[in-house]
């Protein structure tokens, strides 16, 4: 017995009928979430629905296991880092009654140091990922490495996420400058730092979470390893164990290295307050003088050999802050005007204090240093709190990726449009608006 094969004629007729049926379905219904791909004008956004809460009941963040995991679930991110998304929540609240329109976003010129990009989740299929496209890339004579570092970090946070197909599509603009200029309008922009008055700024992680080559600071994960080796010890390649430096064995001095040019009023007063003090190791670095750099530059991990670390703002935030907070030392900072993503976890008073705050003019620096030197157990408790709070939680690579994805989600919810990945030219041809990140990164 055998099954008779249908004749070719009937197969051909069936194929034609199927083709017409498929064409009709595509024209009448369109691809889910992609109705705008042949039209530059974005469509109204469908309400983003958060994925079901994962079964993370009883799950706890363990830094040794989870600290370098860039793919924690949304639920795990909330459990591990409850204070991490405060600034995103603030920006979302400001947009509750006035969603971001495409016209509003498009009104912002992509000036020097800015990047315009799209995250597109692709078709509604779990086999496709949220893809990053570069729509516009302005000249960057000074900050090009920042742009690459930022995009690398964002791309990593997207691709490492197992549920990346559930992330929304967005179109956004970010700046690689120290702060976002021209923020008096409502047009949204992502930046590394903001003041409370910068209501149009959405905070993003800074470039140093990838690397900071201009000041000879390498990859963030490697910096963390070197810092932990000083505080906790390490086993060398030949198997020799080198013990860490106990807190009470550290130099009982306040250390600071930097340029005065970026914030003369604040940094100049630090120098004045530390002048002639036996507890001070404060030096200015001239970044245009190679001899001065060789003599005065202190590797970032070697800051951790000091008991007290001074933190000052620059033109806006200071990128060194997160490195200092990785140390088992006492960070001493003037009152801050510029916010960063991890700042909601800062505590300056009480038994949970993880840093010391002084007046912005450093006028109370000396008595506070004297108090800490006379009460070493209090100083050590603050240093240990900093390690638990920042090195082992809010400044982990896992936290950074969690922040990126939450920024994408909540920024999406504040927009009323779905980004158009394709546009149609006057010649009737459909073109991709941006350059795929995988291609762009090879070109820059």
């Amino acid at each position: 017995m055998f099954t008779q094969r249908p004749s070719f004629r009937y197969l051909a007729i069936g194929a034609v009928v199927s083709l017409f049926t498929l064409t009709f379905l595509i024209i009448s219904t369109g691809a889910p979430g992609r109705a705008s791909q042949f039209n530059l004008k974005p469509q109204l956004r469908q309400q983003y629905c958060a994925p079901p809460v994962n079964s993370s009941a009883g799950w706890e963040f363990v830094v040794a296991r989870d600290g370098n995991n860039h793919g924690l679930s949304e639920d795990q991110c909330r459990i591990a880092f409850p204070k991490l998304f405060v600034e995103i929540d603030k920006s979302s609240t400001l947009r509750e009654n006035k969603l971001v329109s495409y016209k509003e976003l498009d009104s912002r010129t992509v000036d020097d140091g800015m990047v315009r990009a799209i995250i597109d989740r692709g078709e509604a299929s779990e086999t496709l990922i949220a893809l990053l496209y570069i729509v516009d890339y302005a000249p960057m004579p000074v900050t090009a490495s920042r742009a690459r570092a930022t995009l690398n970090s964002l791309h990593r946070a997207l691709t490492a996420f197992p549920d990346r197909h559930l992330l929304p599509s967005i179109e956004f603009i970010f700046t690689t400058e120290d702060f976002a200029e021209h923020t008096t309008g409502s047009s949204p922009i992502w930046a590394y730092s903001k003041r409370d008055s910068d209501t149009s700024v959405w905070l993003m992680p800074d470039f140093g979470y990838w690397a900071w080559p201009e000041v000879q600071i390498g990859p963030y994960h490697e910096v963390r390893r070197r810092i932990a080796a000083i505080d906790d010890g390490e086993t060398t390649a030949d198997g020799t164990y080198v013990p860490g430096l106990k807190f009470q064995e550290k130099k009982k001095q306040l250390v600071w290295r930097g340029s005065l040019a970026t914030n003369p009023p604040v940094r100049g007063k630090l120098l004045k307050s530390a002048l002639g003090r036996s507890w001070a190791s404060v030096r200015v670095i001239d970044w245009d003088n190679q001899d001065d750099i060789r003599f005065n530059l202190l590797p970032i991990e070697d800051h951790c050999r000091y008991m007290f670390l001074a933190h000052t703002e620059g033109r806006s935030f200071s990128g060194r802050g997160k490195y200092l907070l990785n140390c088992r030392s006492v960070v001493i900072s003037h009152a801050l005007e510029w916010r960063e993503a991890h700042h909601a976890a800062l505590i300056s008073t009480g038994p949970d204090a993880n840093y010391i705050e002084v007046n912005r003019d450093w006028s109370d620096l000396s008595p506070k240093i004297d108090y800490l030197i006379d009460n070493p157990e209090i100083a050590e408790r603050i240093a240990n709190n900093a390690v638990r709070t920042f090195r082992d939680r809010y400044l982990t690579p896992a936290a950074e990726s969690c922040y990126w994805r939450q920024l994408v989600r909540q920024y999406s919810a504040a927009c009323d449009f779905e980004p158009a990945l394709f546009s149609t030219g006057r010649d009737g041809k459909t073109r991709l608006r941006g350059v795929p990140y995988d291609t762009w990164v090879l070109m820059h």
Side-chain angles (χ1 to χ4, degrees):
M1 296 289 294
F2 62 92
T3 302
Q4 186 176 7
R5 176 181 298 175
S7 69
F8 178 81
R9 181 183 64 176
Y10 290 109
L11 286 172
I13 293 173
V16 171
V17 172
S18 298
L19 180 61
F20 274 100
T21 302
L22 179 61
T23 302
F24 173 78
L25 288 173
I26 292 175
I27 293 175
S28 62
T29 63
R34 307 288 286 186
S36 64
Q37 68 176 4
F38 296 111
N39 188 335
L40 181 59
K41 184 178 180 180
Q43 302 297 304
L44 292 178
R45 174 180 295 283
Q46 295 181 352
Q47 185 62 39
Y48 167 65
C49 296
V53 175
N54 294 337
S55 56
S56 297
W59 181 86
E60 293 183 1
F61 179 82
V62 178
V63 65
R65 179 193 64 198
D66 307 311
N68 292 317
N69 185 351
H70 290 278
L72 294 180
S73 71
E74 183 175 355
D75 191 35
Q76 288 171 331
C77 289
R78 286 287 185 183
I79 292 171
F81 316 114
K83 297 181 180 180
L84 186 59
F85 311 118
V86 169
E87 292 299 332
I88 303 177
D89 292 339
K90 288 180 183 178
S91 295
S92 295
T93 299
L94 290 172
R95 279 292 182 171
E96 283 180 344
N97 299 318
K98 189 178 184 298
L99 298 180
V100 178
S101 67
Y102 179 81
K103 181 179 180 181
E104 183 180 350
L105 178 73
D106 201 44
S107 68
R108 184 180 288 277
T109 303
V110 180
D111 294 321
D112 285 2
M114 293 185 183
V115 178
R116 182 167 177 168
I118 289 175
I119 293 173
D120 183 83
R121 66 175 174 270
E123 301 289 350
S125 167
E126 296 189 8
T127 61
L128 297 180
I129 64 172
L131 296 176
L132 181 60
Y133 297 85
I134 311 306
V135 176
D136 197 356
Y137 182 82
M140 297 189 191
V142 178
T143 61
S145 70
R146 294 184 178 191
R148 291 192 294 271
T150 300
L151 289 167
N152 283 337
S153 291
L154 174 56
H155 185 257
R156 177 177 60 190
L158 298 174
T159 56
F161 189 47
D163 292 329
R164 51 191 173 269
H165 59 283
L166 296 176
L167 291 170
S169 298
I170 60 169
E171 185 165 351
F172 60 98
I173 297 171
F174 73 82
T175 179
T176 60
E177 296 292 343
D178 289 338
F179 55 90
E181 299 187 71
H182 313 301
T183 55
T184 53
S186 61
S187 177
I189 187 167
W190 295 7
Y192 303 129
S193 188
K194 65 179 290 189
R195 297 159 296 192
D196 289 340
S197 58
D198 297 328
T199 55
S200 62
V201 174
W202 293 68
L203 269 185
M204 63 179 178
D206 78 71
F207 49 88
Y209 284 100
W210 189 267
W212 193 0
E214 288 80 4
V215 293
Q216 301 179 28
I217 295 179
Y220 184 62
H221 65 87
E222 174 60 17
V223 172
R224 279 171 50 83
R225 186 198 65 77
R226 297 200 304 267
I227 287 175
I230 288 176
D231 282 333
D232 298 340
E234 67 174 341
T235 301
T236 61
D238 62 2
T240 303
Y241 175 71
V242 180
L245 187 63
K246 294 179 180 179
F247 180 80
Q248 299 302 336
E249 297 172 346
K250 295 191 176 191
K251 298 176 184 178
K252 291 182 174 60
Q253 287 185 305
L254 176 76
V255 66
W256 183 85
R257 301 287 189 272
S259 169
L260 288 182
T262 55
N263 195 334
V266 169
R267 297 185 173 191
K269 289 175 181 176
L270 167 62
L271 262 66
K272 184 178 179 180
S273 297
L275 185 64
R277 303 288 185 175
S278 61
W279 45 255
S281 177
V282 175
R283 297 177 187 172
V284 175
I285 294 178
D286 180 358
W287 290 105
D288 294 323
N289 186 324
Q290 291 301 315
D291 290 334
D292 190 63
I293 292 174
R294 279 194 297 270
F295 181 75
N296 287 317
L297 182 65
L298 187 68
I300 196 65
E301 65 272 17
D302 284 346
H303 285 67
C304 305
R305 300 185 185 278
Y306 290 78
M307 194 172 282
F308 309 111
L309 313 176
H311 174 58
T312 65
E313 291 177 331
R315 294 181 66 226
S316 58
F317 78 111
S318 174
R320 94 179 75 199
K322 62 183 172 298
Y323 303 115
L324 302 183
L325 286 168
N326 269 274
C327 295
R328 185 174 281 108
S329 299
V330 179
V331 172
I332 300 179
S333 171
H334 60 76
L336 299 170
E337 291 184 354
W338 293 88
R339 300 281 182 264
E340 293 179 73
H342 61 275
H343 279 187
L346 287 168
I347 301 173
S348 62
T349 60
D352 296 325
N354 46 43
Y355 84 114
I356 293 293
E357 182 179 274
V358 298
N359 295 331
R360 196 165 175 84
D361 63 1
W362 301 92
S363 57
D364 56 343
L365 173 63
S366 184
K368 289 191 174 181
I369 287 282
D370 290 339
Y371 176 81
L372 292 170
I373 291 176
D374 292 340
N375 295 272
E377 72 286 350
I378 293 178
E380 186 168 6
R381 184 184 69 203
I382 294 170
N384 288 332
N385 286 344
V387 167
R388 282 192 294 269
T389 304
F390 295 107
R391 193 191 77 185
D392 291 350
R393 191 168 292 266
Y394 285 94
L395 291 177
T396 58
E400 184 220 358
S401 285
C402 282
Y403 188 96
W404 274 120
R405 291 191 294 271
Q406 194 61 25
L407 174 59
V408 170
R409 295 185 191 99
Q410 291 189 231
Y411 176 83
S412 166
C415 295
D416 71 354
F417 67 96
E418 188 83 13
L421 187 58
F422 296 88
S423 63
T424 302
R426 294 181 179 180
D427 57 2
K429 293 183 179 180
T430 300
R431 295 179 177 84
L432 192 64
R433 287 181 58 209
V435 179
Y437 170 80
D438 306 80
T439 301
W440 180 90
V441 76
L442 298 177
M443 299 163 54
H444 294 82

